[in-house]
Amino acid sequence: MSVEVEEKMLDKPEAAARSAAAAAGDDVAKFRAAVISKLTYAVGKNPAAASDRDWFLATAFATRDRIVDRWITSTRQTYSEGRKRVYYLSLEFLIGRLLFDALTNIEMLETARSALGDLGVDLDRLRQVEPDAALGNGGLGRLAACFMDSMATLSIAAYGYGIRYDHGLFRQVIKNGWQQEYPEDWLSFGNPWEFERPEVYYDVGFGGSVEAVAVGGDRKKQVWHPAETVEAVAYDTPIVGWRGRHVNTLRLWSARAADPLRLDAFNQGDHVGALVNQVKAEAISKVLYPSDATPAGQELRLRQEYFFTAASLRDLIRRHIDSFGDIRSLPDKVAIQMNDTHPSIAVAELMRTLIDENDIEWDEAFDITVRTISYTNHTLLPEALETWPVPLMERVLPRHMQIIYQLNAKHLEKVRTEFPGDDALLSSVSLIQEDHGRRVRMGNLAFLGSHSINGVAALHSELMKTTVFKDFYRLFPDRMNNKTNGITFRRWLYQSNPGLTNLLVDLCGPAVLDDPGELKKLLAVAGDSSVHDRLAAVRRQNKVALARIIRDRLDIKVNPGALFDVQIKRIHEYKRQLLNVLETIALYDSMRANPAKNWAPRVKIFSGKAAASYHMAKLIIKLANDVARVVNDDPTVKDLLKIVFLPNYNVSLAESIIPAADLSEQISTAGMEASGTGNMKMALNGALTIGTLDGANVEIKEHVGDDNIFIFGLTAEEVEERRRVGIDEYGAIQKSPHLGEVLDAVESGVFSPDEPDRFKPLVDALRHHDYFLVTSDFDAYWDAQRKVDERWHDRSAWWTSSAINTANMGWFSSDRTITEYATDIWNVPARPVRG
């Protein structure tokens, strides 16, 4: 009997099921054959002799092939429809591992698992083989990666532009409690996801001189003659959106010397000197965030920023002219989004390109520039709003310095006309800082050259108007807006927490995979004890998996039944890991003093990197590890309290920690965290947040409700007032029932008997110059933690709050954020996936 006849004899649902099963089986067979083919002809290995790395490469190549067809189709459609393109310029793209990301988005994860299983290969084991692309430092770079995912998911024609760092951010190793930095060698075995484009390269100039050349009449044209040229070579990675409907391009630039070898010097025996030009050029794309503590380090940072910005602008302008002919139509067909201040030299570079290379008059060039560029600010910290010494700019980018001077003169002339006699305003909004050495203010340049300036959380955007850009807001109130950050659920729920994802599909329906708003359906069963059991079972499974990682990496055994209290983020004084450590010491002392009390057992989990030259942050890491050594070895507390610091925090480690988190620590000094996205990721996965009213915590509180988040501490307004009138560290320490004892213990060497004064700088800062208000917020933090204990002991209340957090996090999808950018700033259509 034929299959067709047999299916006619079955009822329709059964026939459909059989047909679907047959199709699935066919997909498995095809993918299995593709993997074998790639293993043989691309990797050059016999299956019998193949290592896990070989199988990973073969699987990645086979997956990439499935993406490429869609990539080419998406690109053709963009060209044929004459669509406006978005160009996202970011010094960081923290994309992490891509195998599961790609397989999930093209809906082939289970197909690949079955195909590899037939070959005796474990897909989950291959996942661990893939290196983590450490092309970012933290939230900024991870946000860029989430945004690239969402732009593809929403079928927005977009390019991401950045640097293909050879080593990215350093690999963190903890030795005797101290952070040590080593190169991150993510490219040592190649990158199967990228396509090198040796034919796509641009000459990027540095230094030299500017010549005024007569071009007729009294008119002169400025011609820049760079003293040095570096080639920017393109490497493309396809970024596939949800359900594979659209694919965009992440184009990263690698630096290459135009003349890699001075043959005359080599032949004269100077074999090292012959390579000087190559080493200097390639240093640009060697390492993310080289230390700028030295003049040479500052110059390299500036060279990096100009290198990738200039190459990106050359590339997008070339593409625009190929498609539309006239550069004057740039604002109609191109939207350039600067992710933070790093690419702000784009304002001067676009002006230079329009004026010097396309003979456009100044005023028209400035109009085109402003209408094309927009700027996202990510921080209120003055040190992050970069400034460059004028002599450095004049030496490295002489033509750009001319343009900046001219921009500034015209800008200040206009301000002087509109606000006569206001010298303070003129000084504030100038592109040149005149005190403490003349410096170029890159944040001011970015603001002046953009039609839209946005913050990344409601509080942050309001504070921008009253702090760093207060005076610019007076001049251009219509330019400022808010776009609260978001996260891609594909990575941070579906991929990271499949157990919870399956449960949500069961409770809310399959539409939840396409529409995060469907999570609201969980509210109807948030108080159901059977749902609590299922949520707890998923969490327990994730905690067991994380406990295994902790045991394997640190040889510390933790109790999966304890409350997993998590703070994972860049180590910085304003993020206040120190507050967490000090409260942990107070908790440890209280547990020892009263062991019979009904304490909530806790595992304190820290992870994050400190900047290589940031001594205080590295000292905080050392304190956390020294306290962990004492507490974890104390039989008095046993499983009541454990402390772990997981080294080398990256995307892959976050994917293991976040689904296992019970409590999310978001305790920055109010008014200093722009947004935060770790808070969104953990709340989405059901963790409860303990935090200040800072960044996106404010909006999370509004969405989940006051009863389902633990808010403590001074508000941003109160922080500002304390700093204005003077911080009373002595009074705060004297009033606290715990803090004085804790500081005395740290200061006297209880946790550093081999070096009693080791942590004196930390304690001295708290006693005499507590800028981040750790002492002021300590008691409120302690009290909030005791409320956490109470909620933890009330199982029904805890899991109800957990469900309510997950149910109300749909708004924090990066798809919503990107839709707002598309509508309000870029003027491009966003097409959401619906089933």
Side-chain angles (χ1 to χ4, degrees):
M1 184 183 298
S2 70
V3 173
E4 292 82 0
V5 172
E6 188 177 356
E7 286 192 350
K8 286 179 182 177
M9 297 171 62
L10 301 170
D11 60 23
K12 288 182 180 179
E14 192 173 343
R18 177 173 291 196
S19 177
D26 189 42
D27 285 345
V28 169
K30 287 180 179 177
F31 193 77
R32 184 171 61 241
V35 171
I36 291 293
S37 175
K38 291 297 179 184
L39 183 70
T40 305
Y41 299 110
V43 183
K45 281 294 185 74
N46 182 330
S51 67
D52 281 351
R53 186 172 295 280
D54 298 327
W55 283 112
F56 159 69
L57 289 172
T59 304
F61 287 137
T63 304
R64 192 181 72 171
D65 284 355
R66 300 291 182 102
I67 294 170
V68 166
D69 288 337
R70 306 169 197 232
W71 191 21
I72 292 171
T73 299
S74 298
T75 303
R76 281 177 179 162
Q77 286 178 343
T78 297
Y79 274 99
S80 64
E81 295 171 9
R83 294 174 62 188
K84 184 176 184 179
R85 290 183 176 91
V86 173
Y87 294 101
Y88 196 79
L89 273 59
S90 179
L91 200 59
E92 302 182 31
F93 284 96
L94 195 55
I95 53 178
R97 293 168 172 164
L98 289 179
L99 179 59
F100 269 54
D101 204 48
L103 287 171
T104 299
N105 278 4
I106 63 173
E107 302 179 272
M108 287 195 60
L109 185 61
E110 294 311 314
T111 298
R113 194 185 302 279
S114 298
L116 289 167
D118 293 344
L119 296 167
V121 178
D122 182 357
L123 178 61
D124 291 309
R125 197 170 70 239
L126 299 191
R127 183 183 196 177
Q128 305 305 316
V129 171
E130 182 175 6
D132 223 290
L135 304 182
N137 184 29
L140 181 78
R142 185 53 230 170
L143 181 80
C146 284
F147 279 7
M148 288 300 298
D149 178 285
S150 284
M151 283 187 271
T153 293
L154 295 168
S155 296
I156 294 171
Y159 267 74
Y161 279 123
I163 296 179
R164 181 183 180 266
Y165 302 101
D166 292 351
H167 298 291
L169 194 65
F170 62 84
R171 176 169 53 92
Q172 181 194 54
V173 173
I174 302 297
K175 289 190 176 180
N176 192 31
W178 290 102
Q179 170 181 295
Q180 295 189 7
E181 303 90 24
Y182 294 88
E184 183 66 78
D185 54 352
W186 73 285
L187 285 173
S188 58
F189 288 90
N191 177 8
W193 302 108
E194 69 184 7
F195 292 84
E196 183 179 4
R197 307 295 193 197
E199 76 284 4
V200 180
Y201 69 93
Y202 299 98
D203 291 337
V204 178
F206 296 98
S209 59
V210 181
E211 179 186 7
V213 178
V215 290
D218 295 333
R219 185 166 174 264
K220 289 188 176 182
K221 180 176 182 178
Q222 303 296 324
V223 179
W224 179 26
H225 301 289
E228 175 193 357
T229 300
V230 176
E231 291 180 352
V233 182
Y235 287 77
D236 289 350
T237 300
I239 303 295
V240 59
W242 179 232
R243 299 197 186 277
R245 193 178 64 173
H246 184 89
V247 184
N248 281 325
T249 303
L250 173 61
R251 174 160 285 183
L252 302 178
W253 302 104
S254 184
R256 183 174 67 189
D259 296 307
L261 178 68
R262 282 187 53 208
L263 195 57
D264 58 338
F266 192 87
N267 287 333
Q268 291 170 12
D270 187 5
H271 303 143
V272 174
L275 297 171
V276 166
N277 290 341
Q278 179 184 5
V279 171
K280 185 177 181 183
E282 293 181 357
I284 291 174
S285 56
K286 278 294 178 190
V287 176
L288 169 66
Y289 293 144
S291 173
D292 58 359
T294 64
Q298 286 186 21
E299 180 174 338
L300 180 54
R301 286 281 288 274
L302 177 59
R303 285 163 63 90
Q304 283 184 327
E305 293 178 9
Y306 178 66
F307 166 79
F308 102 90
T309 301
S312 303
L313 288 179
R314 291 274 302 277
D315 194 49
L316 70 87
I317 289 172
R318 186 241 343 137
R319 188 177 299 109
H320 173 77
I321 291 177
D322 287 348
S323 297
F324 305 107
D326 186 2
I327 199 170
R328 286 176 167 83
S329 64
L330 201 67
D332 302 320
K333 293 298 183 180
V334 165
I336 298 173
Q337 187 72 42
M338 299 189 300
N339 188 32
D340 215 10
T341 315
H342 310 119
S344 55
I345 194 65
V347 174
E349 173 66 6
L350 184 53
M351 288 290 290
R352 186 194 69 80
T353 303
L354 294 168
I355 296 166
D356 296 357
E357 298 180 6
N358 292 274
D359 296 321
I360 293 176
E361 294 295 328
W362 180 277
D363 289 344
E364 185 182 3
F366 186 61
D367 177 66
I368 291 171
T369 297
V370 171
R371 290 195 293 127
T372 303
I373 294 177
S374 47
Y375 163 49
T376 299
N377 172 273
H378 283 274
T379 182
L380 301 175
L381 296 177
E383 65 265 26
L385 289 173
E386 292 175 312
T387 62
W388 298 114
V390 167
L392 174 64
M393 287 285 290
E394 289 178 326
R395 179 166 52 83
V396 176
L397 299 172
R399 176 59 180 140
H400 299 77
M401 198 62 236
Q402 284 185 345
I403 290 170
I404 290 169
Y405 275 133
Q406 195 168 350
L407 279 170
N408 199 41
K410 289 179 175 290
H411 163 55
L412 293 183
E413 183 181 351
K414 185 178 178 182
V415 174
R416 190 178 290 110
T417 302
E418 294 180 6
F419 299 89
D422 195 339
D423 291 340
L425 176 63
L426 286 171
S427 176
S428 172
V429 301
S430 174
L431 303 186
I432 310 298
Q433 175 184 306
E434 299 289 351
D435 54 335
H436 307 297
R438 298 171 67 243
R439 303 177 72 89
V440 181
R441 294 166 163 159
M442 302 308 284
N444 285 11
L445 177 64
F447 197 114
L448 182 65
S450 301
H451 68 275
S452 168
I453 297 87
N454 70 279
V456 290
L459 176 63
H460 170 235
S461 296
E462 288 304 308
L463 288 173
M464 281 170 57
K465 298 174 183 178
T466 59
T467 56
V468 290
F469 292 126
K470 173 184 177 182
D471 291 316
F472 267 103
Y473 181 58
R474 286 177 62 192
L475 303 180
F476 306 104
D478 296 338
R479 291 190 185 184
M480 296 188 70
N481 62 92
N482 176 60
K483 298 288 173 281
T484 298
N485 283 342
I487 56 173
T488 171
F489 288 21
R490 272 79 62 183
R491 170 78 74 152
W492 297 108
L493 180 61
Y494 311 161
Q495 184 180 325
S496 301
N497 200 344
L500 180 57
T501 302
N502 293 335
L503 178 53
L504 292 171
V505 168
D506 188 36
L507 295 173
C508 303
V512 76
L513 296 175
D514 297 310
D515 181 3
E518 294 290 302
L519 286 171
K520 286 279 188 183
K521 291 181 178 178
L522 187 59
L523 290 173
V525 293
D528 189 320
S529 61
S530 64
V531 171
H532 295 171
D533 292 341
R534 298 174 71 183
L535 289 169
V538 169
R539 181 76 54 78
R540 173 81 183 195
Q541 186 178 21
N542 294 332
K543 290 166 76 172
V544 167
L546 180 57
R548 190 176 300 119
I549 290 172
I550 292 169
R551 185 194 62 207
D552 291 346
R553 298 189 185 182
L554 300 175
D555 196 26
I556 298 172
K557 185 178 179 182
V558 300
N559 173 20
L563 188 158
F564 277 23
D565 180 344
V566 173
Q567 188 172 18
I568 45 174
K569 52 185 75 242
R570 180 165 52 97
I571 310 297
H572 196 290
E573 288 170 278
Y574 90 81
K575 293 179 183 285
R576 298 203 297 191
Q577 286 92 352
L578 181 57
L579 175 61
N580 191 347
V581 174
L582 296 178
E583 193 275 338
T584 302
I585 295 171
L587 179 61
Y588 169 60
D589 289 340
S590 297
M591 284 178 167
R592 288 192 299 166
N594 191 0
K597 188 174 178 180
N598 190 26
W599 299 104
R602 288 193 187 229
V603 178
K604 286 273 191 177
I605 299 170
F606 296 89
S607 195
K609 298 178 181 179
S613 58
Y614 193 172
H615 175 68
M616 292 294 269
K618 295 174 89 167
L619 202 56
I620 291 168
I621 291 175
K622 175 60 173 169
L623 177 61
N625 281 290
D626 281 356
V627 173
R629 188 189 67 250
V630 171
V631 172
N632 295 343
D633 289 342
D634 189 338
T636 308
V637 293
K638 296 181 182 177
D639 277 343
L640 272 181
L641 183 62
K642 295 287 184 184
I643 305 168
V644 298
F645 188 101
L646 281 162
N648 205 37
Y649 182 57
N650 56 23
V651 175
S652 300
L653 185 56
E655 289 172 347
S656 296
I657 296 174
I658 287 169
D662 293 308
L663 187 67
S664 166
E665 297 268 358
Q666 309 296 331
I667 59 176
S668 52
T669 310
M672 300 198 72
E673 183 72 84
S675 171
T677 52
N679 47 8
M680 303 171 192
K681 293 163 192 167
M682 285 191 266
L684 174 65
N685 282 272
L688 275 57
T689 301
I690 183 168
T692 52
L693 280 174
D694 197 25
N697 288 355
V698 176
E699 287 148 294
I700 290 175
K701 173 178 175 286
E702 292 170 357
H703 280 81
V704 305
D706 294 359
D707 294 336
N708 302 298
I709 189 170
F710 302 95
I711 296 295
F712 73 92
L714 301 173
T715 64
E717 294 80 7
E718 290 168 339
V719 166
E720 187 177 355
E721 178 64 14
R722 287 285 179 95
R723 287 174 177 165
R724 189 183 65 81
V725 302
I727 300 164
D728 181 16
E729 300 96 337
Y730 179 80
I733 295 168
Q734 287 296 108
K735 285 191 299 183
S736 174
H738 303 283
L739 185 54
E741 267 185 36
V742 169
L743 293 180
D744 288 344
V746 173
E747 189 175 37
S748 65
V750 168
F751 301 100
S752 54
D754 56 320
E755 188 184 346
D757 291 339
R758 178 181 297 149
F759 301 114
K760 195 172 188 303
L762 289 177
V763 177
D764 283 349
L766 294 179
R767 291 194 193 278
H768 307 297
H769 185 64
D770 185 15
Y771 183 75
F772 301 100
L773 293 132
V774 170
T775 55
S776 297
D777 275 350
F778 180 87
D779 282 354
Y781 180 53
W782 169 272
D783 291 342
Q785 287 285 20
R786 304 294 71 79
K787 291 177 182 175
V788 171
D789 288 344
E790 293 173 15
R791 184 76 57 87
W792 180 257
H793 284 306
D794 186 342
R795 186 177 186 275
S796 176
W798 184 276
W799 286 105
T800 298
S801 289
S802 175
I804 289 172
N805 267 263
T806 298
N808 286 290
M809 289 305 293
W811 188 80
F812 293 93
S813 165
S814 53
D815 294 352
R816 184 269 314 157
T817 311
I818 289 298
T819 299
E820 292 180 4
Y821 274 96
T823 303
D824 302 340
I825 299 176
W826 303 332
N827 191 28
V828 297
R831 304 163 184 169
V833 175
R834 288 289 181 267

